[in-house]
Amino acid sequence: MHAILAGIPQSLRPAVLIASTCALLLLATALLLPRAPPAAPAAALTTVTDADAVRLDASVTRRNGNEVLWQLPPPSSPLRAALFAAPGCTIRATDFFDASPGCPRCTGLPEERRFTRAALSRGYAVLAVSSRAKCWSLDDAGGGEDGSELAAVQSIIKWWTTEKYPQLAGLPLFGIGASSGGYFLSALAARVKFSSVTVMIAEGMYGTMAEIPTGYPPALFVHMPKDTERARLVAESMDKLREKHVDVREIQCDDFAVSAEFLAERVPGLTWAFANALVDMLRRKGFVDEKGMLKKDGRRTPWKEAAEEAKVLPERFGLERHVTEELNVAYAYHEFTSLKNTEVFQWFESHMNH
């Protein structure tokens, strides 16, 4: 400091010292101020995209003991690829599509429907299959009179891409599976020729595979590192795949503060008034911390009961699963998410010719 002041006229030194001191105080104050909570990712908030123009209207059938739903992209989108989706436990293929004349039982969960609409808007034909039971069976030898579930879905994919829609036969085939569906997809990819797969919130079956077959498809892992044990297992699966010269990559999804804007824009049919009341109730009940971060995931947060008690829940409210899913996404521990749609589709499209 003495060296710096030496070059400044004596009359100006007090002013320089005062200005320097003020600057240091401002810097210290800025560093000590509490940081704002992580905001919802930009992809979480509504922007007008081609996907918004896509109307979901699935066709439905049953084959080999499994419920099968599908939809082809609109005529305005050139057919580019076929996509198979394996839901997680308790999630059904009907959750990937909105209720429509073709599927009045469809429920359109927020994340699944966003993923489906994005896929269709990019020219992907989408095939979603429900597991026979609550979760997928990975027994390659069992399955009763319909055979194993792996063999059944392999047959369904072949039927859909060759007999039902022969125009799909020469196109890339992609796969995505979440949780139980991720384990199932990782095993299915050893017998179905996918161009690439996305394993979500699961490490896959790679640790128990006797051998990863030659030609196994490139694999993208989308997971939530708050689940530290699964993050460790994902890293092990990636190492094992790399040893077999399989192209692998991971995408991590972090938690963020819950906001009324996030809920109202993600859940179709949810009003701003209720979203505001719900977020306010989460604060008053202590379900979120001072930064708006959930203390537990949506499944373990009795938000509906609290909303009923606070008399903010609308009559005949039918969006409990939808709200819970979005709370799970914000908590970022174990949930299907469409927040990384852009990265997932970029991954698929970088392996169009695999």
Side-chain angles (χ1 to χ4, degrees), residues 110-124:
E111 299 303 309
E112 286 79 358
R113 71 182 294 275
R114 279 178 175 266
F115 179 83
T116 303
R117 292 176 77 189
L120 291 168
S121 72
R122 298 176 86 102
Y124 292 30

mmCIF file with all atom_site columns, all heavy atoms in Angstrom, residues 110-124:
data_model
loop_
_atom_site.group_PDB
_atom_site.id
_atom_site.type_symbol
_atom_site.label_atom_id
_atom_site.label_alt_id
_atom_site.label_comp_id
_atom_site.label_asym_id
_atom_site.label_entity_id
_atom_site.label_seq_id
_atom_site.pdbx_PDB_ins_code
_atom_site.Cartn_x
_atom_site.Cartn_y
_atom_site.Cartn_z
_atom_site.occupancy
_atom_site.B_iso_or_equiv
_atom_site.pdbx_formal_charge
_atom_site.auth_seq_id
_atom_site.auth_comp_id
_atom_site.auth_asym_id
_atom_site.auth_atom_id
_atom_site.pdbx_PDB_model_num
ATOM 1   N N   . PRO A 1 110 ? -46.556 -35.183 -16.182 1.00 0.00 ? 110 PRO A N   1
ATOM 2   C CA  . PRO A 1 110 ? -45.869 -34.035 -16.784 1.00 0.00 ? 110 PRO A CA  1
ATOM 3   C C   . PRO A 1 110 ? -44.565 -34.363 -17.485 1.00 0.00 ? 110 PRO A C   1
ATOM 4   O O   . PRO A 1 110 ? -44.339 -33.918 -18.617 1.00 0.00 ? 110 PRO A O   1
ATOM 5   C CB  . PRO A 1 110 ? -45.637 -33.112 -15.584 1.00 0.00 ? 110 PRO A CB  1
ATOM 6   C CG  . PRO A 1 110 ? -46.665 -33.487 -14.588 1.00 0.00 ? 110 PRO A CG  1
ATOM 7   C CD  . PRO A 1 110 ? -46.907 -34.946 -14.778 1.00 0.00 ? 110 PRO A CD  1
ATOM 8   N N   . GLU A 1 111 ? -43.689 -35.125 -16.841 1.00 0.00 ? 111 GLU A N   1
ATOM 9   C CA  . GLU A 1 111 ? -42.371 -35.379 -17.424 1.00 0.00 ? 111 GLU A CA  1
ATOM 10  C C   . GLU A 1 111 ? -42.448 -36.336 -18.598 1.00 0.00 ? 111 GLU A C   1
ATOM 11  O O   . GLU A 1 111 ? -41.804 -36.137 -19.634 1.00 0.00 ? 111 GLU A O   1
ATOM 12  C CB  . GLU A 1 111 ? -41.414 -35.909 -16.354 1.00 0.00 ? 111 GLU A CB  1
ATOM 13  C CG  . GLU A 1 111 ? -41.198 -34.939 -15.205 1.00 0.00 ? 111 GLU A CG  1
ATOM 14  C CD  . GLU A 1 111 ? -40.684 -33.590 -15.676 1.00 0.00 ? 111 GLU A CD  1
ATOM 15  O OE1 . GLU A 1 111 ? -39.691 -33.557 -16.421 1.00 0.00 ? 111 GLU A OE1 1
ATOM 16  O OE2 . GLU A 1 111 ? -41.287 -32.564 -15.300 1.00 0.00 ? 111 GLU A OE2 1
ATOM 17  N N   . GLU A 1 112 ? -43.226 -37.396 -18.446 1.00 0.00 ? 112 GLU A N   1
ATOM 18  C CA  . GLU A 1 112 ? -43.342 -38.378 -19.518 1.00 0.00 ? 112 GLU A CA  1
ATOM 19  C C   . GLU A 1 112 ? -43.990 -37.782 -20.772 1.00 0.00 ? 112 GLU A C   1
ATOM 20  O O   . GLU A 1 112 ? -43.547 -38.032 -21.893 1.00 0.00 ? 112 GLU A O   1
ATOM 21  C CB  . GLU A 1 112 ? -44.140 -39.594 -19.036 1.00 0.00 ? 112 GLU A CB  1
ATOM 22  C CG  . GLU A 1 112 ? -43.394 -40.509 -18.081 1.00 0.00 ? 112 GLU A CG  1
ATOM 23  C CD  . GLU A 1 112 ? -43.341 -40.020 -16.650 1.00 0.00 ? 112 GLU A CD  1
ATOM 24  O OE1 . GLU A 1 112 ? -43.866 -38.920 -16.366 1.00 0.00 ? 112 GLU A OE1 1
ATOM 25  O OE2 . GLU A 1 112 ? -42.770 -40.728 -15.810 1.00 0.00 ? 112 GLU A OE2 1
ATOM 26  N N   . ARG A 1 113 ? -45.048 -36.999 -20.583 1.00 0.00 ? 113 ARG A N   1
ATOM 27  C CA  . ARG A 1 113 ? -45.730 -36.413 -21.743 1.00 0.00 ? 113 ARG A CA  1
ATOM 28  C C   . ARG A 1 113 ? -44.830 -35.395 -22.447 1.00 0.00 ? 113 ARG A C   1
ATOM 29  O O   . ARG A 1 113 ? -44.856 -35.279 -23.672 1.00 0.00 ? 113 ARG A O   1
ATOM 30  C CB  . ARG A 1 113 ? -47.062 -35.792 -21.333 1.00 0.00 ? 113 ARG A CB  1
ATOM 31  C CG  . ARG A 1 113 ? -46.948 -34.521 -20.512 1.00 0.00 ? 113 ARG A CG  1
ATOM 32  C CD  . ARG A 1 113 ? -48.309 -33.964 -20.097 1.00 0.00 ? 113 ARG A CD  1
ATOM 33  N NE  . ARG A 1 113 ? -49.085 -33.511 -21.233 1.00 0.00 ? 113 ARG A NE  1
ATOM 34  C CZ  . ARG A 1 113 ? -48.959 -32.302 -21.762 1.00 0.00 ? 113 ARG A CZ  1
ATOM 35  N NH1 . ARG A 1 113 ? -48.068 -31.454 -21.298 1.00 0.00 ? 113 ARG A NH1 1
ATOM 36  N NH2 . ARG A 1 113 ? -49.714 -31.951 -22.781 1.00 0.00 ? 113 ARG A NH2 1
ATOM 37  N N   . ARG A 1 114 ? -44.042 -34.655 -21.686 1.00 0.00 ? 114 ARG A N   1
ATOM 38  C CA  . ARG A 1 114 ? -43.119 -33.702 -22.310 1.00 0.00 ? 114 ARG A CA  1
ATOM 39  C C   . ARG A 1 114 ? -42.077 -34.434 -23.146 1.00 0.00 ? 114 ARG A C   1
ATOM 40  O O   . ARG A 1 114 ? -41.716 -33.990 -24.235 1.00 0.00 ? 114 ARG A O   1
ATOM 41  C CB  . ARG A 1 114 ? -42.431 -32.857 -21.240 1.00 0.00 ? 114 ARG A CB  1
ATOM 42  C CG  . ARG A 1 114 ? -43.272 -31.693 -20.739 1.00 0.00 ? 114 ARG A CG  1
ATOM 43  C CD  . ARG A 1 114 ? -42.544 -30.921 -19.644 1.00 0.00 ? 114 ARG A CD  1
ATOM 44  N NE  . ARG A 1 114 ? -43.320 -29.753 -19.257 1.00 0.00 ? 114 ARG A NE  1
ATOM 45  C CZ  . ARG A 1 114 ? -43.155 -28.532 -19.758 1.00 0.00 ? 114 ARG A CZ  1
ATOM 46  N NH1 . ARG A 1 114 ? -42.218 -28.333 -20.676 1.00 0.00 ? 114 ARG A NH1 1
ATOM 47  N NH2 . ARG A 1 114 ? -43.892 -27.523 -19.363 1.00 0.00 ? 114 ARG A NH2 1
ATOM 48  N N   . PHE A 1 115 ? -41.591 -35.541 -22.616 1.00 0.00 ? 115 PHE A N   1
ATOM 49  C CA  . PHE A 1 115 ? -40.616 -36.317 -23.370 1.00 0.00 ? 115 PHE A CA  1
ATOM 50  C C   . PHE A 1 115 ? -41.241 -36.857 -24.656 1.00 0.00 ? 115 PHE A C   1
ATOM 51  O O   . PHE A 1 115 ? -40.639 -36.778 -25.735 1.00 0.00 ? 115 PHE A O   1
ATOM 52  C CB  . PHE A 1 115 ? -40.066 -37.464 -22.518 1.00 0.00 ? 115 PHE A CB  1
ATOM 53  C CG  . PHE A 1 115 ? -39.064 -38.309 -23.248 1.00 0.00 ? 115 PHE A CG  1
ATOM 54  C CD1 . PHE A 1 115 ? -37.742 -37.922 -23.328 1.00 0.00 ? 115 PHE A CD1 1
ATOM 55  C CD2 . PHE A 1 115 ? -39.455 -39.479 -23.884 1.00 0.00 ? 115 PHE A CD2 1
ATOM 56  C CE1 . PHE A 1 115 ? -36.813 -38.686 -24.023 1.00 0.00 ? 115 PHE A CE1 1
ATOM 57  C CE2 . PHE A 1 115 ? -38.542 -40.250 -24.576 1.00 0.00 ? 115 PHE A CE2 1
ATOM 58  C CZ  . PHE A 1 115 ? -37.215 -39.848 -24.649 1.00 0.00 ? 115 PHE A CZ  1
ATOM 59  N N   . THR A 1 116 ? -42.443 -37.400 -24.545 1.00 0.00 ? 116 THR A N   1
ATOM 60  C CA  . THR A 1 116 ? -43.117 -37.973 -25.716 1.00 0.00 ? 116 THR A CA  1
ATOM 61  C C   . THR A 1 116 ? -43.376 -36.916 -26.778 1.00 0.00 ? 116 THR A C   1
ATOM 62  O O   . THR A 1 116 ? -43.123 -37.132 -27.975 1.00 0.00 ? 116 THR A O   1
ATOM 63  C CB  . THR A 1 116 ? -44.442 -38.631 -25.298 1.00 0.00 ? 116 THR A CB  1
ATOM 64  O OG1 . THR A 1 116 ? -44.187 -39.623 -24.304 1.00 0.00 ? 116 THR A OG1 1
ATOM 65  C CG2 . THR A 1 116 ? -45.117 -39.294 -26.490 1.00 0.00 ? 116 THR A CG2 1
ATOM 66  N N   . ARG A 1 117 ? -43.871 -35.762 -26.359 1.00 0.00 ? 117 ARG A N   1
ATOM 67  C CA  . ARG A 1 117 ? -44.152 -34.695 -27.325 1.00 0.00 ? 117 ARG A CA  1
ATOM 68  C C   . ARG A 1 117 ? -42.872 -34.215 -28.009 1.00 0.00 ? 117 ARG A C   1
ATOM 69  O O   . ARG A 1 117 ? -42.866 -33.950 -29.225 1.00 0.00 ? 117 ARG A O   1
ATOM 70  C CB  . ARG A 1 117 ? -44.853 -33.534 -26.628 1.00 0.00 ? 117 ARG A CB  1
ATOM 71  C CG  . ARG A 1 117 ? -46.258 -33.858 -26.157 1.00 0.00 ? 117 ARG A CG  1
ATOM 72  C CD  . ARG A 1 117 ? -46.860 -32.700 -25.377 1.00 0.00 ? 117 ARG A CD  1
ATOM 73  N NE  . ARG A 1 117 ? -47.310 -31.644 -26.267 1.00 0.00 ? 117 ARG A NE  1
ATOM 74  C CZ  . ARG A 1 117 ? -47.709 -30.445 -25.843 1.00 0.00 ? 117 ARG A CZ  1
ATOM 75  N NH1 . ARG A 1 117 ? -47.672 -30.154 -24.561 1.00 0.00 ? 117 ARG A NH1 1
ATOM 76  N NH2 . ARG A 1 117 ? -48.119 -29.543 -26.703 1.00 0.00 ? 117 ARG A NH2 1
ATOM 77  N N   . ALA A 1 118 ? -41.799 -34.118 -27.233 1.00 0.00 ? 118 ALA A N   1
ATOM 78  C CA  . ALA A 1 118 ? -40.528 -33.694 -27.830 1.00 0.00 ? 118 ALA A CA  1
ATOM 79  C C   . ALA A 1 118 ? -40.046 -34.711 -28.853 1.00 0.00 ? 118 ALA A C   1
ATOM 80  O O   . ALA A 1 118 ? -39.550 -34.358 -29.927 1.00 0.00 ? 118 ALA A O   1
ATOM 81  C CB  . ALA A 1 118 ? -39.490 -33.489 -26.737 1.00 0.00 ? 118 ALA A CB  1
ATOM 82  N N   . ALA A 1 119 ? -40.180 -36.008 -28.518 1.00 0.00 ? 119 ALA A N   1
ATOM 83  C CA  . ALA A 1 119 ? -39.752 -37.062 -29.441 1.00 0.00 ? 119 ALA A CA  1
ATOM 84  C C   . ALA A 1 119 ? -40.562 -37.011 -30.731 1.00 0.00 ? 119 ALA A C   1
ATOM 85  O O   . ALA A 1 119 ? -40.012 -37.073 -31.838 1.00 0.00 ? 119 ALA A O   1
ATOM 86  C CB  . ALA A 1 119 ? -39.891 -38.427 -28.776 1.00 0.00 ? 119 ALA A CB  1
ATOM 87  N N   . LEU A 1 120 ? -41.872 -36.889 -30.608 1.00 0.00 ? 120 LEU A N   1
ATOM 88  C CA  . LEU A 1 120 ? -42.725 -36.843 -31.795 1.00 0.00 ? 120 LEU A CA  1
ATOM 89  C C   . LEU A 1 120 ? -42.407 -35.623 -32.649 1.00 0.00 ? 120 LEU A C   1
ATOM 90  O O   . LEU A 1 120 ? -42.388 -35.709 -33.888 1.00 0.00 ? 120 LEU A O   1
ATOM 91  C CB  . LEU A 1 120 ? -44.194 -36.831 -31.376 1.00 0.00 ? 120 LEU A CB  1
ATOM 92  C CG  . LEU A 1 120 ? -44.727 -38.127 -30.744 1.00 0.00 ? 120 LEU A CG  1
ATOM 93  C CD1 . LEU A 1 120 ? -46.098 -37.889 -30.115 1.00 0.00 ? 120 LEU A CD1 1
ATOM 94  C CD2 . LEU A 1 120 ? -44.789 -39.245 -31.774 1.00 0.00 ? 120 LEU A CD2 1
ATOM 95  N N   . SER A 1 121 ? -42.153 -34.490 -32.008 1.00 0.00 ? 121 SER A N   1
ATOM 96  C CA  . SER A 1 121 ? -41.875 -33.270 -32.767 1.00 0.00 ? 121 SER A CA  1
ATOM 97  C C   . SER A 1 121 ? -40.568 -33.371 -33.542 1.00 0.00 ? 121 SER A C   1
ATOM 98  O O   . SER A 1 121 ? -40.364 -32.653 -34.522 1.00 0.00 ? 121 SER A O   1
ATOM 99  C CB  . SER A 1 121 ? -41.825 -32.067 -31.824 1.00 0.00 ? 121 SER A CB  1
ATOM 100 O OG  . SER A 1 121 ? -40.654 -32.069 -31.028 1.00 0.00 ? 121 SER A OG  1
ATOM 101 N N   . ARG A 1 122 ? -39.670 -34.279 -33.109 1.00 0.00 ? 122 ARG A N   1
ATOM 102 C CA  . ARG A 1 122 ? -38.385 -34.457 -33.794 1.00 0.00 ? 122 ARG A CA  1
ATOM 103 C C   . ARG A 1 122 ? -38.458 -35.565 -34.845 1.00 0.00 ? 122 ARG A C   1
ATOM 104 O O   . ARG A 1 122 ? -37.445 -35.941 -35.432 1.00 0.00 ? 122 ARG A O   1
ATOM 105 C CB  . ARG A 1 122 ? -37.288 -34.780 -32.770 1.00 0.00 ? 122 ARG A CB  1
ATOM 106 C CG  . ARG A 1 122 ? -37.066 -33.670 -31.765 1.00 0.00 ? 122 ARG A CG  1
ATOM 107 C CD  . ARG A 1 122 ? -36.043 -34.064 -30.720 1.00 0.00 ? 122 ARG A CD  1
ATOM 108 N NE  . ARG A 1 122 ? -34.684 -33.798 -31.161 1.00 0.00 ? 122 ARG A NE  1
ATOM 109 C CZ  . ARG A 1 122 ? -33.962 -32.753 -30.763 1.00 0.00 ? 122 ARG A CZ  1
ATOM 110 N NH1 . ARG A 1 122 ? -34.488 -31.870 -29.935 1.00 0.00 ? 122 ARG A NH1 1
ATOM 111 N NH2 . ARG A 1 122 ? -32.731 -32.580 -31.196 1.00 0.00 ? 122 ARG A NH2 1
ATOM 112 N N   . GLY A 1 123 ? -39.646 -36.109 -35.061 1.00 0.00 ? 123 GLY A N   1
ATOM 113 C CA  . GLY A 1 123 ? -39.814 -37.137 -36.081 1.00 0.00 ? 123 GLY A CA  1
ATOM 114 C C   . GLY A 1 123 ? -39.594 -38.551 -35.589 1.00 0.00 ? 123 GLY A C   1
ATOM 115 O O   . GLY A 1 123 ? -39.346 -39.452 -36.383 1.00 0.00 ? 123 GLY A O   1
ATOM 116 N N   . TYR A 1 124 ? -39.703 -38.772 -34.286 1.00 0.00 ? 124 TYR A N   1
ATOM 117 C CA  . TYR A 1 124 ? -39.556 -40.115 -33.725 1.00 0.00 ? 124 TYR A CA  1
ATOM 118 C C   . TYR A 1 124 ? -40.932 -40.761 -33.573 1.00 0.00 ? 124 TYR A C   1
ATOM 119 O O   . TYR A 1 124 ? -41.858 -40.159 -33.026 1.00 0.00 ? 124 TYR A O   1
ATOM 120 C CB  . TYR A 1 124 ? -38.931 -40.070 -32.332 1.00 0.00 ? 124 TYR A CB  1
ATOM 121 C CG  . TYR A 1 124 ? -37.496 -39.635 -32.255 1.00 0.00 ? 124 TYR A CG  1
ATOM 122 C CD1 . TYR A 1 124 ? -36.927 -38.752 -33.171 1.00 0.00 ? 124 TYR A CD1 1
ATOM 123 C CD2 . TYR A 1 124 ? -36.686 -40.096 -31.226 1.00 0.00 ? 124 TYR A CD2 1
ATOM 124 C CE1 . TYR A 1 124 ? -35.614 -38.346 -33.075 1.00 0.00 ? 124 TYR A CE1 1
ATOM 125 C CE2 . TYR A 1 124 ? -35.362 -39.698 -31.106 1.00 0.00 ? 124 TYR A CE2 1
ATOM 126 C CZ  . TYR A 1 124 ? -34.836 -38.813 -32.038 1.00 0.00 ? 124 TYR A CZ  1
ATOM 127 O OH  . TYR A 1 124 ? -33.533 -38.405 -31.930 1.00 0.00 ? 124 TYR A OH  1
#
